[in-house]
Amino acid sequence: MLQKTWCIANPSTTNHELIANLDYACGHVNCSQIQQGSLCFYPDSHMHHASFAMNLYYQAMGRHKSHCNFTNSGLVSSTDPSTSSCTYESGGALADNETRGTWCVPKPTTSDAMLQEIINFACNHVDCSPIHDVSGPCFNPTTRINHASFAMNLYYQGTGRRESSCDFSQTGLIVTDDPSYGDCKYEYHE
Protein backbone atom coordinates (compact mmCIF):
# COMPACT_ATOMS: atom_id res chain seq x y z
CA MET A 1 0.00 0.00 0.00
CA LEU A 2 1.35 3.43 -0.93
CA GLN A 3 1.91 6.06 1.73
CA LYS A 4 -0.93 8.60 1.92
CA THR A 5 -0.07 12.29 1.75
CA TRP A 6 -1.67 15.56 2.78
CA CYS A 7 -0.98 19.25 2.14
CA ILE A 8 -0.62 21.77 4.98
CA ALA A 9 0.51 25.38 5.27
CA ASN A 10 4.12 25.99 6.26
CA PRO A 11 4.13 27.19 9.91
CA SER A 12 6.07 30.30 8.84
CA THR A 13 3.27 31.44 6.51
CA THR A 14 1.86 34.89 7.32
CA ASN A 15 -1.85 35.45 7.95
CA HIS A 16 -2.03 37.48 4.72
CA GLU A 17 -0.65 34.51 2.74
CA LEU A 18 -2.91 32.07 4.60
CA ILE A 19 -5.99 34.11 3.70
CA ALA A 20 -4.89 34.24 0.05
CA ASN A 21 -4.37 30.45 0.05
CA LEU A 22 -7.76 29.92 1.68
CA ASP A 23 -9.50 32.14 -0.87
CA TYR A 24 -7.74 30.46 -3.80
CA ALA A 25 -8.41 26.90 -2.66
CA CYS A 26 -12.04 27.59 -1.71
CA GLY A 27 -12.55 29.13 -5.14
CA HIS A 28 -11.88 25.66 -6.58
CA VAL A 29 -13.20 23.21 -3.95
CA ASN A 30 -16.09 23.05 -1.49
CA CYS A 31 -14.87 24.42 1.85
CA SER A 32 -18.16 24.04 3.72
CA GLN A 33 -16.49 21.75 6.31
CA ILE A 34 -14.59 24.71 7.79
CA GLN A 35 -17.58 27.07 7.97
CA GLN A 36 -18.85 28.08 11.40
CA GLY A 37 -20.99 25.29 12.87
CA SER A 38 -19.21 22.53 10.92
CA LEU A 39 -16.99 19.85 12.52
CA CYS A 40 -13.77 21.27 11.11
CA PHE A 41 -14.39 24.92 12.03
CA TYR A 42 -12.37 24.64 15.26
CA PRO A 43 -9.78 25.67 15.99
CA ASP A 44 -10.88 28.90 14.38
CA SER A 45 -7.48 29.92 13.01
CA HIS A 46 -6.13 30.98 9.64
CA MET A 47 -3.44 28.26 9.88
CA HIS A 48 -5.98 25.44 10.30
CA HIS A 49 -8.58 26.76 7.85
CA ALA A 50 -5.99 27.44 5.14
CA SER A 51 -4.32 24.05 5.67
CA PHE A 52 -7.66 22.26 5.47
CA ALA A 53 -8.61 24.09 2.25
CA MET A 54 -5.14 23.66 0.73
CA ASN A 55 -5.39 19.92 1.40
CA LEU A 56 -8.83 19.71 -0.24
CA TYR A 57 -7.39 21.43 -3.32
CA TYR A 58 -4.27 19.22 -3.34
CA GLN A 59 -6.38 16.06 -3.10
CA ALA A 60 -8.87 17.22 -5.76
CA MET A 61 -6.04 18.02 -8.20
CA GLY A 62 -4.50 14.55 -7.90
CA ARG A 63 -1.81 15.07 -5.22
CA HIS A 64 0.89 16.60 -7.40
CA LYS A 65 3.64 18.47 -5.55
CA SER A 66 2.84 21.60 -7.57
CA HIS A 67 -0.73 21.60 -6.22
CA CYS A 68 0.61 21.95 -2.67
CA ASN A 69 3.03 24.75 -3.50
CA PHE A 70 0.79 27.80 -2.94
CA THR A 71 3.61 30.24 -3.72
CA ASN A 72 6.09 28.23 -1.64
CA SER A 73 3.84 28.21 1.45
CA GLY A 74 2.61 24.59 1.31
CA LEU A 75 4.23 21.43 2.67
CA VAL A 76 3.43 17.82 1.76
CA SER A 77 2.92 15.76 4.91
CA SER A 78 3.31 12.00 5.19
CA THR A 79 1.60 12.15 8.61
CA ASP A 80 -2.17 12.59 8.88
CA PRO A 81 -3.00 16.11 10.20
CA SER A 82 -6.53 15.01 11.22
CA THR A 83 -7.79 15.42 14.77
CA SER A 84 -10.50 13.54 16.63
CA SER A 85 -13.10 16.05 15.46
CA CYS A 86 -11.81 16.91 11.99
CA THR A 87 -10.66 14.56 9.22
CA TYR A 88 -8.30 15.81 6.53
CA GLU A 89 -9.06 13.80 3.37
CA SER A 90 -6.39 11.79 1.56
CA GLY A 91 -6.78 9.87 -1.64
CA GLY A 92 -3.32 8.33 -1.65
CA ALA A 93 0.34 8.93 -2.27
CA LEU A 94 2.12 11.88 -3.81
CA ALA A 95 1.71 11.57 -7.58
CA ASP A 96 5.21 12.92 -8.35
CA ASN A 97 7.08 10.62 -5.94
CA GLU A 98 10.11 12.88 -5.44
CA THR A 99 10.80 12.72 -1.70
CA ARG A 100 14.32 13.79 -0.77
CA GLY A 101 14.15 14.21 2.99
CA THR A 102 11.92 14.60 6.02
CA TRP A 103 11.37 17.39 8.53
CA CYS A 104 9.10 17.74 11.58
CA VAL A 105 6.46 20.48 12.04
CA PRO A 106 3.35 20.86 14.23
CA LYS A 107 -0.20 20.06 13.15
CA PRO A 108 -2.07 23.22 12.07
CA THR A 109 -4.62 22.54 14.85
CA THR A 110 -2.11 22.55 17.73
CA SER A 111 -3.06 24.97 20.53
CA ASP A 112 -0.73 27.79 21.56
CA ALA A 113 -0.45 26.24 25.04
CA MET A 114 0.75 22.93 23.56
CA LEU A 115 3.09 24.73 21.16
CA GLN A 116 4.67 26.49 24.15
CA GLU A 117 5.12 23.14 25.94
CA ILE A 118 6.81 21.78 22.81
CA ILE A 119 9.13 24.80 22.62
CA ASN A 120 10.03 24.40 26.30
CA PHE A 121 10.72 20.67 25.93
CA ALA A 122 12.65 20.79 22.65
CA CYS A 123 14.71 23.84 23.63
CA ASN A 124 15.91 22.00 26.74
CA HIS A 125 17.54 19.49 24.36
CA VAL A 126 18.64 21.60 21.35
CA ASP A 127 20.03 25.08 20.64
CA CYS A 128 17.03 27.33 20.01
CA SER A 129 18.97 30.60 19.73
CA PRO A 130 17.78 31.13 16.08
CA ILE A 131 14.20 31.55 17.40
CA HIS A 132 15.01 33.12 20.80
CA ASP A 133 17.42 35.84 19.70
CA VAL A 134 15.64 38.85 18.18
CA SER A 135 18.33 39.00 15.50
CA GLY A 136 18.11 35.24 14.92
CA PRO A 137 17.30 34.14 11.36
CA CYS A 138 14.18 32.20 12.49
CA PHE A 139 12.81 34.68 15.04
CA ASN A 140 10.27 36.11 12.58
CA PRO A 141 7.45 35.53 12.22
CA THR A 142 7.09 35.63 15.98
CA THR A 143 4.33 33.06 16.24
CA ARG A 144 4.32 30.04 18.52
CA ILE A 145 3.64 27.70 15.61
CA ASN A 146 6.67 29.00 13.71
CA HIS A 147 8.96 28.79 16.75
CA ALA A 148 7.65 25.35 17.74
CA SER A 149 8.17 24.12 14.19
CA PHE A 150 11.83 25.11 14.20
CA ALA A 151 12.42 23.59 17.67
CA MET A 152 10.55 20.36 16.83
CA ASN A 153 12.61 19.86 13.69
CA LEU A 154 15.91 20.43 15.52
CA TYR A 155 14.90 17.80 18.06
CA TYR A 156 13.69 15.39 15.34
CA GLN A 157 16.88 15.76 13.28
CA GLY A 158 19.09 15.51 16.37
CA THR A 159 17.53 12.22 17.48
CA GLY A 160 18.04 10.44 14.19
CA ARG A 161 14.77 11.40 12.42
CA ARG A 162 12.84 8.63 14.16
CA GLU A 163 9.07 8.83 13.72
CA SER A 164 8.65 8.77 17.52
CA SER A 165 10.88 11.88 17.78
CA CYS A 166 8.24 13.87 15.88
CA ASP A 167 5.24 12.70 17.90
CA PHE A 168 5.09 15.44 20.56
CA SER A 169 1.87 14.05 22.10
CA GLN A 170 0.44 13.39 18.63
CA THR A 171 0.88 17.00 17.46
CA GLY A 172 3.87 16.47 15.13
CA LEU A 173 3.79 15.92 11.38
CA ILE A 174 6.56 14.54 9.21
CA VAL A 175 6.76 16.57 6.01
CA THR A 176 8.68 15.84 2.82
CA ASP A 177 9.23 19.49 1.86
CA ASP A 178 11.93 21.63 3.45
CA PRO A 179 10.14 24.26 5.62
CA SER A 180 13.12 26.65 5.42
CA TYR A 181 12.31 30.24 4.47
CA GLY A 182 14.44 33.31 3.79
CA ASP A 183 17.57 33.13 5.95
CA CYS A 184 15.94 30.57 8.27
CA LYS A 185 17.40 27.20 7.35
CA TYR A 186 15.85 24.06 8.85
CA GLU A 187 18.40 21.46 9.80
CA TYR A 188 18.43 18.20 7.87
CA HIS A 189 20.62 15.15 8.60
CA GLU A 190 20.85 12.28 6.14
Side-chain angles (χ1 to χ4, degrees), residues 20-75:
N21 292 351
L22 183 61
D23 289 345
Y24 180 81
C26 291
H28 293 84
V29 295
N30 179 357
C31 292
S32 62
Q33 293 170 284
I34 54 174
Q35 298 303 313
Q36 191 161 8
S38 298
L39 282 178
C40 292
F41 179 71
Y42 292 105
D44 181 13
S45 71
H46 294 305
M47 180 61 66
H48 164 56
H49 290 172
S51 291
F52 190 87
M54 290 164 67
N55 183 63
L56 285 175
Y57 178 81
Y58 167 75
Q59 300 298 333
M61 297 298 147
R63 293 173 311 284
H64 295 275
K65 201 169 202 47
S66 62
H67 294 122
C68 184
N69 184 287
F70 290 91
T71 319
N72 295 318
S73 65
L75 301 173

Side-chain angles (χ1 to χ4, degrees), residues 125-146:
H125 295 83
V126 295
D127 176 17
C128 288
S129 58
I131 59 170
H132 286 159
D133 183 356
V134 175
S135 62
C138 303
F139 183 75
N140 288 312
T142 56
T143 60
R144 279 196 185 93
I145 197 163
N146 180 53

Side-chain angles (χ1 to χ4, degrees), residues 109-121:
T109 54
T110 307
S111 71
D112 278 352
M114 184 62 187
L115 292 169
Q116 188 60 55
E117 285 181 34
I118 291 166
I119 292 166
N120 295 343
F121 171 80

Side-chain angles (χ1 to χ4, degrees), residues 10 12 72 75 103 138 150 153 177-188:
N10 189 325
S12 66
N72 295 318
L75 301 173
W103 294 262
C138 303
F150 185 82
N153 185 65
D177 295 308
D178 184 351
S180 298
Y181 59 95
D183 291 335
C184 180
K185 304 303 178 204
Y186 273 56
E187 222 173 274
Y188 172 72

